[in-house]
């Protein structure tokens, strides 16, 4: 390991894997000083341009820290011994480190409605704060990240290649994805026609990309800033809904447990719009439910693509986990279709509140 390469206070006493992120390799570093650290191997298969990625993160965290000096509220990069934000090891792997946000928890499901609403406020405020940030400074860390039609093309290719001979076993899921393909370009189409504005967005607004205070449950810090780049407000709203307003975990195998909670949807919409609604256009507000539907669809398509490709993108802990993840997303879509009119009404009411 490379814990000797960073300017950590104290002597390192342990370094163990932590977190449930699907992309980077994350380690908790303890030292004999009171402070702890997070050290991450950046996934270079996913993030092709690490210097540009790290420049984005340095710019964004510095910008946010100007407004809020509390170290538990903004990620703080720990410099390497050479004073850089990251380093490349002998195998060409890229590493960075953050100060550990003390006394925090990170959740895969909200424990209370209030807690989920608070995360909506935090992501809404994140977007509002970054409205003053010059988007031209940001590199696009993953081109076409939320280009849903492009994600569908990747599914077609993976199904045609069928690298592991898995396609026949998941024809039902492939058919489901294809039956919704014509709707995949709804948001990208509006963007292209100038009907939706580009903003600086987080683009990966799962509940487990926020740290909460371990005692009070209050949101402390938005993390996982790898995908902060120009994007659509509806996608940030939507990704939070697909993850946190689902009544089950993302990889739940019992699909009977998977539903969209309208109660959570409403709580999140009110808090998110309370924080950033005033700066959103009418069209953006109207597309929030669509954002939820499309982010769920896009993730389902991506999980299924990865299953067909041999689980090369998202980390898995068990065989079939990406297929399970795809299935929960598709089940959630079916439920959203049933609840569509109520999602739209709750959004309108939340915007007026
Ligand atoms: P990934 O891209 O793999 O999701 P994240 O940056 O989200 O990586 O980090 C993975 C996990 O590590 C988070 O879900 C959280 O549990 C933990 N984590 C990351 N940064 C910190 C931090 N600064 N303080 C405390 N925990 C953190
Ligand atoms: C990944 O890194 P993590 O686990 O926070 C992915 C997101 C997906 C999410 C699905 C860079 O997020 O786009 O929505 O998994 N991140 C990247 O849980 O691809
Ligand atoms: Mg994460």
């Amino acid at each position: 390991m490379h814990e000797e390469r960073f300017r950590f206070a104290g002597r390192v006493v342990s370094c163990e894997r932590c977190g449930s992120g699907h992309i980077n390799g994350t380690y908790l570093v303890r030292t004999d000083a009171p402070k702890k650290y997070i050290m991450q191997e950046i996934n270079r298969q996913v993030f092709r341009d690490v210097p540009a990625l790290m420049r984005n993160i340095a710019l964004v965290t510095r910008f946010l820290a100007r407004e809020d000096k509390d170290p538990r509220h903004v990620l703080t990069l720990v410099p390497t011994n050479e004073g850089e934000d990251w380093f490349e090891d002998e195998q060409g792997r890229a590493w960075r480190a953050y100060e550990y946000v003390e006394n925090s928890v990170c959740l895969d499901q909200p424990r209370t409605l209030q807690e989920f609403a608070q995360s909506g406020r935090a992501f809404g405020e994140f977007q509002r704060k970054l409205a003053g940030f010059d988007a031209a400074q940001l590199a696009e860390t993953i081109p076409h990240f939320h280009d849903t039609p492009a994600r569908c093309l990747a599914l077609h290719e993976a199904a045609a290649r069928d690298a592991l001979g898995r396609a026949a076993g998941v024809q039902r899921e492939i058919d489901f994805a294809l039956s919704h393909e014509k709707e995949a370009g709804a948001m990208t189409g509006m963007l292209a026609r100038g009907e939706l504005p580009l903003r600086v967005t987080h683009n990966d607004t799962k509940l487990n990309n926020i740290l909460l205070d371990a005692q009070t449950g209050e949101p402390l810090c938005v993390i996982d800033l790898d995908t902060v780049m120009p994007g659509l407000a509806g996608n940030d709203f939507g990704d939070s809904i697909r993850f946190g307003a689902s009544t089950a975990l993302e990889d739940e195998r019992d699909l009977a447990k998977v539903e969209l909670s309208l109660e959570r949807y409403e709580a999140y919409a009110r808090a998110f719009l309370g924080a950033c609604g005033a700066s959103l256009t009418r069209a953006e507000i109207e597309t929030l439910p669509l954002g939820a539907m499309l982010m769920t669809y896009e993730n389902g398509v991506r999980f299924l693509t990865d299953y067909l490709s041999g689980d090369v993108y998202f980390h898995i802990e068990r065989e079939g986990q990406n297929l399970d993840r795809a299935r929960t997303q598709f089940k959630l879509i079916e439920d959203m279709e049933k609840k569509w009119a109520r999602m739209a009404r709750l959004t309108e009411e939340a915007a007026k509140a």
Side-chain angles (χ1 to χ4, degrees):
M1 291 303 294
H2 299 298
E3 51 279 20
E4 73 287 357
R5 302 283 299 260
F6 290 97
R7 287 187 193 158
F8 293 144
R11 194 179 56 83
V12 172
V13 293
S14 67
C15 179
E16 67 220 37
R17 196 113 195 189
C18 79
S20 55
H22 298 340
I23 303 295
N24 294 309
T26 303
Y27 300 83
L28 171 64
V29 177
R30 290 175 203 275
T31 70
D32 56 7
K35 281 181 92 156
K36 298 196 278 292
Y37 299 92
I38 286 286
M39 189 167 77
Q40 281 185 322
E41 181 190 343
I42 303 164
N43 187 326
R44 290 196 111 158
Q45 292 296 107
V46 169
F47 299 105
R48 299 288 171 157
D49 187 349
V50 174
L53 165 77
M54 292 309 296
R55 216 166 24 245
N56 276 8
I57 292 182
L59 286 169
V60 168
T61 52
R62 216 178 299 142
F63 179 86
L64 294 172
R66 273 212 301 265
E67 242 194 74
D68 189 339
K69 304 280 178 234
D70 188 328
R72 293 170 80 215
H73 289 178
V74 182
L75 280 178
T76 309
L77 283 163
V78 181
T80 65
N81 295 329
E82 293 75 32
E84 305 292 336
D85 286 332
W86 67 285
F87 79 94
E88 183 177 271
D89 70 13
E90 296 65 31
Q91 283 85 46
R93 296 179 173 174
W95 296 85
R96 69 174 168 218
Y98 292 114
E99 298 202 356
Y100 183 84
V101 176
E102 296 294 337
N103 204 13
S104 66
V105 287
C106 186
L107 301 176
D108 288 319
Q109 276 196 310
R111 295 168 301 192
T112 63
L113 200 55
Q114 170 73 354
E115 194 165 70
F116 188 50
Q118 299 260 36
S119 77
R121 185 166 60 83
F123 278 125
E125 277 172 6
F126 183 84
Q127 189 170 123
R128 186 180 49 73
K129 285 181 191 163
L130 287 177
F133 183 87
D134 176 15
Q137 293 187 76
L138 287 179
E140 207 179 2
T141 53
I142 303 180
H144 299 286
F145 191 54
H146 288 319
D147 182 343
T148 316
R151 300 295 190 176
C152 290
L153 283 182
L155 174 61
H156 281 286
E157 281 166 21
R161 198 173 320 115
D162 196 15
L164 277 84
R166 288 175 167 178
V170 293
Q171 200 51 54
R172 216 157 38 97
E173 286 75 12
I174 296 174
D175 289 344
F176 181 89
L178 299 185
S179 72
H180 284 68
E181 193 176 358
K182 55 186 182 312
E183 296 134 62
M187 298 265 272
T188 46
M190 289 180 78
L191 174 66
R193 292 191 296 275
E195 293 163 20
L196 290 173
L198 267 186
R199 301 189 181 273
V200 177
T201 48
H202 184 279
N203 293 305
D204 189 3
T205 51
K206 297 195 280 190
L207 183 64
N208 69 17
N209 284 329
I210 273 197
L211 301 175
L212 313 175
D213 185 288
Q215 265 77 49
T216 65
E218 292 258 330
L220 291 171
C221 184
V222 171
I223 62 167
D224 206 343
L225 305 177
D226 296 327
T227 51
V228 174
M229 55 186 164
L232 298 175
N235 287 340
D236 267 12
F237 173 84
D239 199 32
S240 293
I241 295 300
R242 74 138 195 110
F243 190 83
S246 168
T247 52
L249 288 170
E250 192 183 57
D251 62 353
E252 174 60 56
R253 276 182 277 200
D254 179 0
L255 292 179
K257 292 187 181 156
V258 182
E259 270 182 50
L260 175 85
S261 158
L262 283 171
E263 197 185 28
R264 286 196 210 160
Y265 182 95
E266 178 178 24
Y268 192 96
R270 282 177 181 259
F272 181 83
L273 286 169
C276 71
S279 61
L280 299 186
T281 65
R282 190 73 229 136
E284 280 177 300
I285 293 171
E286 280 170 9
T287 52
L288 295 183
L290 186 59
M293 181 76 90
L294 283 176
M295 287 306 294
T296 309
Y297 176 69
E298 184 180 289
N299 273 280
V301 165
R302 292 174 66 195
F303 290 138
L304 184 57
T305 302
D306 201 35
Y307 175 73
L308 289 167
S309 311
D311 308 304
V312 291
Y313 187 96
F314 297 105
H315 291 322
I316 53 163
E317 278 145 24
R318 57 176 154 82
E319 183 81 12
Q321 196 172 11
N322 275 319
L323 177 58
D324 295 334
R325 290 171 178 153
R327 286 177 172 154
T328 61
Q329 304 306 292
F330 294 157
K331 172 71 198 293
L332 209 48
I333 289 175
E334 286 176 338
D335 199 44
M336 285 183 188
E337 284 170 341
K338 288 188 204 132
K339 295 173 176 166
W340 189 243
R342 276 180 290 169
M343 286 165 70
R345 201 178 62 233
L346 290 174
T347 311
E348 283 306 315
E349 285 167 7
K352 284 191 212 118

